[in-house]
Amino acid sequence: MPNQLAIPFKRTYTAVVKQAVRDYILTHTEDHPDAFEWDINTWESLRTNGTGGVIHVERISAAISYHAQLVFILTKFPSDIGLEIAYNEAFSGSSSLPVTLCSLTFERVSVLFNLGALYSQLASLEDRSTPEGLKRASGYYQNAAGVFAYLVSSALPKFTIPPDCEEKPLDLTDSFVKSLELLMLAQAQECVWQRAVIDQYKNGLIARLATQVSSLYAASLHQIRSAASEIRSSFPSEWLSHMEIKQCHFEAAAQYRKSIDELETNRYGHEIRRLLAAEGEAKKGYTVARRGGVAPAVLQDIKSLLDAVQKNRTRAERDNDLIYHQDIPAPSALPPIQGVSMVSSVIPPGISEPQSIIANGGVVFNEMLGWGAREAINIFNDNKRNLIQDQISDAAEQLNDEADRVLQELNLPSALDALEKPVGLPPSLLKKAEEVRLEQGPDRIEASLEDVQRLSQHVMTVLDGAMDILDNEASEDEAARQEMPISRPPSHEANKELVLKQQRYRDVLNQASASDELVRQKWEEWENHILELSWDEDQLEALIPSSTVPTPGQSSTSAKRQTQSHARRLRGLLESLDEIHRSRDDLVARAQRLAEVDDIRSKILKVATNFERWIEVRPAMFEDVSDAELSKYDKFIQGLAEGKQKQTEILDAIKSTHESFLQSRKEDPSVKERENALQYLDLAYHKYREITRNLDEGLKFYNEMIGILTQFKEACKLWSHARSQEARSLARSLSALSIEENSQQSAGSKNDLPRATKARKVVANLPSLTSAEWEVDDLAPAPSLQKSPIKKGRR
């Protein structure tokens, strides 16, 4: 039986590569999966041969080739593409459950682990009784150490597990893998030591080789013993004993060989001290070996060494007592044996340089744009969209709203229209009335109000339906508990996360309903005035009172000239404000047109081609390109800033001139009446626009809510179904147990029945509600009322 350790494979299971990759390509790229049929089939074939499980030298190249392709695949796809990868831990039992992660990086590090295990198993199969076999075994062990060294330095840093993940592969931690690397180096050095013994090297050199073997076993042992408790407990206890025995064995062997060297140089006292030290280490190792759990060959090795040391110690002490009479030095006086290393962690070239072992044209997904570049394009488009919306469109709308608010507070332009056009309708009002009439404004608002109310009731019905599902499950659970004992949390505890999420949705819907009511009240308040705007021009003109020119007794000629002068200046300022408004709208339109045709894809592709194709390209690598492209919109933002400055100056001038205009005018009841009528119609138009915008946003909100709550209801249905299936399974288990107990009773085993009943206990094992299995899209905030006194509807 071999006296060295071989690392077992991590067992894997079938992965649905084809379906997961096709789904990802369809949903996340502009390509069609049919274009990558060869790539997908090649991936599946490579996985079959490259994931370990077969001990054959040809499987080395299969594993290295698959790893090389995985390195390149991870430049094209993110680690999580929805493909579930399952591996058992290397030292887990045959009945243990595998660790399952949606992670291509998990696949890569597991392939590397199994490659290291393959090297170790090939080494253990070598005939170490010959120099050639020892040389090959040492080479395999050094390759295994190199793979584990590469795993720690290059692969594991990229392998991240979400904090809330319940499954963690403990054999893929730095401490665990580093311990295996040192173990492989220790066994490689042991092969070198064994060859030196066979070739009858000098005892001093053999002692130094043995010291290094002992040191490497000690380092491996320390690495795992100093790890976290959960990692330490996952390492086989018999392996720890094996390494401890080997550490003692080779420390003893080093002292023994050095004692022979001391004997040859007539240092008899030093010889005895070396033999005593060797005996102490050999006894310690033999004590550990006798506890069991290690290979018989390891026990026999340490026993043979102990016997040889004790025999030589007896002989050396007798000779010294009778012949040499040399003093035996203290242990601290012995010079330490300096170890000499003849091994190192040799990384196979195909691992560190994956491109070197794949022929031209053999790279899978070579024509696909890498995920990092795709994500960089998506990030740019999102940033561009947000920039256009937040810093240009919304900013322009806020400036327009600010100007409208100031004008309405000053009753402009109604005050000028009433003065300059004492009869008839101002052109600006005619234009607004025509707009409302063509859009069939009142009918449109009534229809939208009905649609909003209908959708509001529908989404609340969907949410209530989800709660009905949970209530029904709770009733079933309660009924089941009355019939049999169930070892799982009751429904009110198990569905806590779903109920809390439901309450958040309901709170948002209640807020939306309150906002709907405010919009309806606003419509009821302004309905008559908005209806007037939809009248024909003749009807509307009859509605507005006319004013006459003041009598001589009412106003002086000089005062009238001042009023007219202020009015002309106000009209000019209003025209300048309109020009700024039009320029701002044009600037926003130009920015939006540029955004529609602005495509960064070609620039991203150009930059991506400059990267080494075996490097994992990440979105952050394209930040400079993205920032440069977004800078094209700085001119629009600057234009808005300049327009804001001009608007502020004009509004200040309008306020000042309007004050002078009011002071120069005498109160004329007919003008005032006409002015108020025009003002109400102008304000009614703004309220019409505000209400329609509120309703449009409300319809959009509820339509989005239907999808979210339908998905939430489906999650409740899946959870309730799983709970029902679990309850039925428990019922069947208890029924089977009852039949077994009856059988035992009939056989005369009545006294053992309580113990059997207690021992047979089925525990529920549903995923937790925090698991991604139950997740639905998060809810957008309900439309809220804006701060503007004009715009008090939905955002």
Side-chain angles (χ1 to χ4, degrees):
M1 193 168 184
N3 63 353
Q4 289 188 334
L5 298 173
I7 302 168
F9 290 117
K10 291 172 64 67
R11 298 189 309 279
T12 188
Y13 302 83
T14 302
V16 191
V17 174
K18 179 173 291 186
Q19 190 59 49
V21 176
R22 288 181 65 88
D23 290 346
Y24 180 85
I25 292 174
L26 275 174
T27 56
H28 292 85
T29 74
E30 299 174 354
D31 301 312
H32 195 279
D34 289 347
F36 299 97
E37 194 69 27
W38 175 86
D39 308 82
I40 297 172
N41 291 335
T42 302
W43 186 347
E44 288 187 321
S45 177
L46 287 167
R47 188 176 197 277
T48 300
N49 297 321
T51 50
V54 177
I55 307 174
H56 196 283
V57 68
E58 292 182 357
R59 289 303 179 107
I60 294 175
S61 60
I64 292 177
S65 295
Y66 184 40
H67 171 262
Q69 294 287 8
L70 282 174
V71 171
F72 190 71
I73 287 171
L74 282 166
T75 70
K76 300 296 184 177
F77 295 93
S79 182
D80 184 2
I81 61 170
L83 174 61
E84 290 189 343
I85 303 293
Y87 279 91
N88 283 91
E89 291 190 355
F91 296 101
S92 61
S94 59
S95 61
S96 62
L97 294 175
V99 175
T100 303
L101 299 173
C102 289
S103 170
L104 296 181
T105 311
F106 180 41
E107 173 86 333
R108 181 193 175 200
V109 296
S110 297
V111 167
L112 286 171
F113 186 99
N114 278 353
L115 177 59
L118 176 59
Y119 276 122
S120 78
Q121 294 183 45
L122 290 172
S124 68
L125 294 177
E126 289 292 337
D127 180 6
R128 289 189 289 116
S129 64
T130 65
E132 293 76 13
L134 286 167
K135 181 179 179 180
R136 287 192 297 270
S138 179
Y140 282 140
Y141 282 135
Q142 290 179 75
N143 282 141
V147 172
F148 290 128
Y150 179 82
L151 184 56
V152 171
S153 63
S154 299
L156 284 182
K158 298 178 181 179
F159 177 46
T160 57
I161 303 175
D164 58 344
C165 183
E166 298 177 358
E167 299 179 298
K168 296 181 180 180
L170 300 177
D171 56 354
L172 291 175
T173 55
D174 285 357
S175 298
F176 201 105
V177 177
K178 187 65 178 176
S179 177
L180 294 181
E181 178 197 354
L182 292 168
L183 173 60
M184 294 298 100
L185 288 176
Q187 297 190 156
Q189 180 80 4
E190 184 177 348
C191 292
V192 175
W193 171 86
Q194 188 175 351
R195 185 173 179 183
V197 172
I198 293 174
D199 292 342
Q200 297 183 356
Y201 283 25
K202 291 182 179 180
N203 289 301
L205 177 57
I206 294 176
R208 296 181 65 189
L209 292 173
T211 296
Q212 185 64 19
V213 175
S214 177
S215 177
L216 287 168
Y217 275 117
S220 177
L221 192 61
H222 173 74
Q223 190 72 40
I224 201 67
R225 282 180 171 172
S226 60
S229 59
E230 58 179 359
I231 298 173
R232 189 167 61 250
S233 62
S234 67
F235 204 90
S237 59
E238 61 271 19
W239 280 45
L240 296 175
S241 298
H242 176 100
M243 289 187 287
E244 185 177 0
I245 295 166
K246 285 286 188 176
Q247 176 190 352
C248 295
H249 179 113
F250 282 96
E251 179 61 29
Q255 295 291 350
Y256 174 62
R257 286 287 177 169
K258 188 62 177 176
S259 74
I260 299 174
D261 196 43
E262 303 283 13
L263 174 62
E264 292 173 351
T265 57
N266 302 323
R267 297 164 62 88
Y268 306 113
H270 284 72
E271 175 199 8
I272 295 173
R273 177 53 65 193
R274 297 282 183 190
L275 288 170
L276 289 170
E279 184 180 23
E281 289 294 331
K283 283 183 176 179
K284 184 179 10 174
Y286 183 59
T287 301
V288 176
R290 289 180 61 189
R291 296 175 190 157
V294 297
V298 176
L299 174 61
Q300 183 58 43
D301 287 347
I302 191 69
K303 179 66 169 60
S304 298
L305 177 61
L306 178 59
D307 291 343
V309 169
Q310 288 177 333
K311 180 179 179 181
N312 277 273
R313 178 185 62 79
T314 302
R315 186 265 312 155
E317 288 178 339
R318 183 183 66 247
D319 289 349
N320 192 54
D321 290 341
L322 295 176
I323 303 171
Y324 308 117
H325 307 292
Q326 288 189 4
D327 293 334
I328 301 173
S332 59
L334 284 179
I337 303 173
Q338 299 296 328
V340 56
S341 177
M342 300 299 293
V343 297
S344 62
S345 299
V346 180
I347 302 175
I351 295 297
S352 56
E353 299 177 359
Q355 65 273 26
S356 65
I357 53 100
I358 299 181
N360 293 333
V363 178
V364 295
F365 303 103
N366 190 38
E367 302 301 322
M368 179 182 286
L369 180 64
W371 76 271
R374 284 198 307 273
E375 191 62 21
I377 294 172
N378 294 334
I379 292 173
F380 170 79
N381 289 333
D382 288 342
N383 290 339
K384 177 181 67 176
R385 183 164 49 251
N386 293 336
L387 184 147
I388 294 295
Q389 185 65 39
D390 298 339
Q391 300 187 46
I392 297 179
S393 297
D394 289 351
E397 185 176 351
Q398 290 174 5
L399 290 173
N400 292 338
D401 290 346
E402 175 65 17
D404 291 343
R405 182 186 63 79
V406 171
L407 294 182
Q408 289 189 14
E409 288 176 353
L410 300 178
N411 192 22
L412 294 174
S414 300
L416 294 179
D417 292 338
L419 178 69
E420 297 172 354
K421 191 174 178 61
V423 294
L425 296 174
S428 61
L429 181 60
L430 288 174
K431 183 178 179 181
K432 294 172 182 176
E434 182 182 10
E435 186 178 330
V436 175
R437 190 162 52 249
L438 291 176
E439 293 180 0
Q440 298 181 341
D443 293 339
R444 173 187 174 185
I445 291 176
E446 289 286 357
S448 295
L449 284 169
E450 292 178 3
D451 289 341
V452 167
Q453 184 176 8
R454 175 177 53 81
L455 289 174
S456 174
Q457 294 171 350
H458 179 61
V459 296
M460 192 63 79
T461 300
V462 174
L463 185 58
D464 290 339
M467 292 310 296
D468 289 341
I469 292 172
L470 297 182
D471 290 342
N472 290 336
E473 190 281 325
S475 299
E476 293 176 1
D477 182 70
E478 184 63 29
R481 289 178 185 278
Q482 294 176 0
E483 296 178 2
M484 61 179 178
I486 298 180
S487 180
R488 66 173 185 178
S491 295
H492 72 274
E493 294 179 3
N495 65 15
K496 184 177 180 181
E497 292 291 334
L498 290 173
V499 173
L500 289 175
K501 183 170 287 190
Q502 171 271 153
Q503 189 56 52
R504 292 197 298 271
Y505 289 165
R506 194 173 297 276
D507 291 343
V508 172
L509 290 178
N510 289 336
Q511 294 173 12
S513 178
S515 183
D516 295 340
E517 182 58 29
L518 290 177
V519 175
R520 182 175 293 277
Q521 292 175 5
K522 192 188 306 179
W523 164 242
E524 292 173 353
E525 179 183 354
W526 288 91
E527 180 179 4
N528 292 334
H529 294 293
I530 295 174
L531 280 171
E532 291 170 353
L533 282 175
S534 66
W535 291 355
D536 293 337
E537 185 176 339
D538 293 341
Q539 293 176 299
L540 195 58
E541 185 173 351
L543 177 68
I544 306 299
S546 61
S547 60
T548 58
V549 179
T551 60
Q554 290 177 309
S555 175
S556 66
T557 303
S558 174
K560 288 198 302 182
R561 282 199 300 269
Q562 288 182 355
T563 300
Q564 293 296 333
S565 174
H566 294 317
R568 284 193 298 272
R569 175 163 172 74
L570 277 176
R571 183 65 69 183
L573 291 171
L574 291 177
E575 290 175 356
S576 298
L577 192 61
D578 286 341
E579 179 62 30
I580 291 176
H581 196 155
R582 286 191 297 271
S583 298
R584 185 181 296 131
D585 291 344
D586 179 66
L587 183 143
V588 172
R590 286 191 292 116
Q592 291 172 340
R593 286 195 299 270
L594 175 59
E596 290 174 0
V597 299
D598 190 10
D599 189 359
I600 200 176
R601 184 180 180 87
S602 61
K603 294 181 174 61
I604 292 290
L605 286 175
K606 183 177 179 180
V607 174
T609 56
N610 295 328
F611 290 125
E612 167 65 43
R613 72 173 184 169
W614 293 91
I615 292 177
E616 186 176 349
V617 177
R618 297 188 173 275
M621 297 179 178
F622 301 94
E623 286 183 355
D624 292 343
V625 180
S626 179
D627 292 343
E629 288 300 300
L630 288 176
S631 66
K632 294 187 298 188
Y633 298 91
D634 290 347
K635 60 183 179 182
F636 300 108
I637 298 174
Q638 181 62 30
L640 286 177
E642 295 173 355
K644 178 181 180 180
Q645 179 62 31
K646 292 179 181 178
Q647 175 172 295
T648 300
E649 295 172 356
I650 291 175
L651 288 177
D652 290 342
I654 286 175
K655 292 176 183 178
S656 176
T657 306
H658 181 262
E659 182 66 24
S660 300
F661 173 73
L662 291 179
Q663 291 180 359
S664 66
R665 288 184 56 194
K666 299 293 184 181
E667 288 293 332
D668 189 330
S670 61
V671 173
K672 205 69 176 175
E673 184 180 357
R674 178 176 174 80
E675 181 179 315
N676 290 336
L678 292 173
Q679 180 185 11
Y680 260 98
L681 287 178
D682 187 67
L683 188 57
Y685 171 78
H686 288 287
K687 291 297 179 181
Y688 165 71
R689 278 292 161 217
E690 182 181 327
I691 292 171
T692 54
R693 184 165 60 249
N694 296 159
L695 292 172
D696 289 343
E697 292 176 356
L699 290 171
K700 179 181 178 183
F701 168 78
Y702 283 118
N703 280 316
E704 291 175 351
M705 280 296 300
I706 289 174
I708 293 174
L709 293 182
T710 300
Q711 189 177 1
F712 174 71
K713 182 178 179 181
E714 186 63 24
C716 293
K717 187 182 298 182
L718 289 172
W719 182 83
S720 298
H721 178 71
R723 288 267 295 185
S724 298
Q725 289 286 95
E726 185 181 64
R728 285 193 287 271
S729 176
L730 291 172
R732 287 194 296 269
S733 299
L734 291 173
S735 176
L737 177 61
S738 177
I739 293 173
E740 180 180 341
E741 291 168 353
N742 290 334
S743 176
Q744 291 175 352
Q745 287 178 343
S746 65
S749 302
K750 295 180 180 180
N751 294 333
D752 296 332
L753 180 59
R755 289 195 299 272
T757 304
K758 184 176 181 181
R760 299 287 294 274
K761 185 177 181 181
V762 183
V763 180
N765 193 28
L766 279 180
S768 67
L769 285 176
T770 57
S771 168
E773 186 170 343
W774 310 109
E775 276 300 316
V776 298
D777 293 337
D778 204 359
L779 182 63
S784 59
L785 298 183
Q786 295 186 358
K787 294 185 291 184
S788 168
I790 299 175
K791 300 187 174 185
K792 296 184 179 179
R794 295 181 190 275
R795 290 187 60 214

